Amino acid sequence: MSLNQDPSILKIHYLQHVPFEGLGSIATWAQAAGHQINVTRLYAGERPPDIDLIDWLIIMGGQMNIAEEEHYNRINQSMESILEYLAGITDNRG
């Protein structure tokens, strides 16, 4: 977990693989609850932030599948971020 001043406010981050996908109802809920929302646009070559700055990680889909990783470099980027995030949860919770 990141170090928030107010633990009820979550730092929500999502990985976006294509420009036409968004959070939809999740964004509506998060904004109404006062949570912070940030995005990494993998299709634009952006790199995710440090895992320590994220409370919730949401991974959006995309048109590719895991068997196409040689055509979509961002699949590898996504997997690295996901594995780092999961390792951080394991480290923090034992």
Side-chain angles (χ1 to χ4, degrees):
M1 275 271 174
S2 63
L3 300 174
N4 282 325
Q5 295 296 332
D6 181 349
S8 68
I9 297 176
L10 298 173
K11 292 182 179 178
I12 299 172
H13 192 86
Y14 69 102
L15 303 178
Q16 185 180 33
H17 291 92
V18 291
F20 54 82
E21 65 186 1
L23 288 179
S25 297
I26 296 172
T28 303
W29 165 80
Q31 290 166 347
H35 300 310
Q36 298 173 8
I37 302 172
N38 291 297
V39 60
T40 296
R41 294 168 190 88
L42 297 171
Y43 61 88
E46 296 178 359
R47 296 286 302 169
D50 290 336
I51 294 303
D52 292 339
L53 302 175
I54 301 171
D55 295 317
W56 282 14
L57 178 64
I58 300 171
I59 304 152
M60 303 303 291
Q63 75 275 20
M64 66 289 187
N65 65 54
I66 197 66
E68 296 180 300
E69 59 184 286
E70 64 190 41
H71 300 291
Y72 296 98
N73 184 44
R74 60 186 179 266
I75 293 175
N76 293 327
Q77 215 178 354
S78 294
M79 290 306 295
E80 288 172 17
S81 298
I82 294 162
L83 292 173
E84 182 182 340
Y85 183 75
L86 293 176
I89 290 172
T90 302
D91 290 347
N92 290 332
R93 296 188 183 165

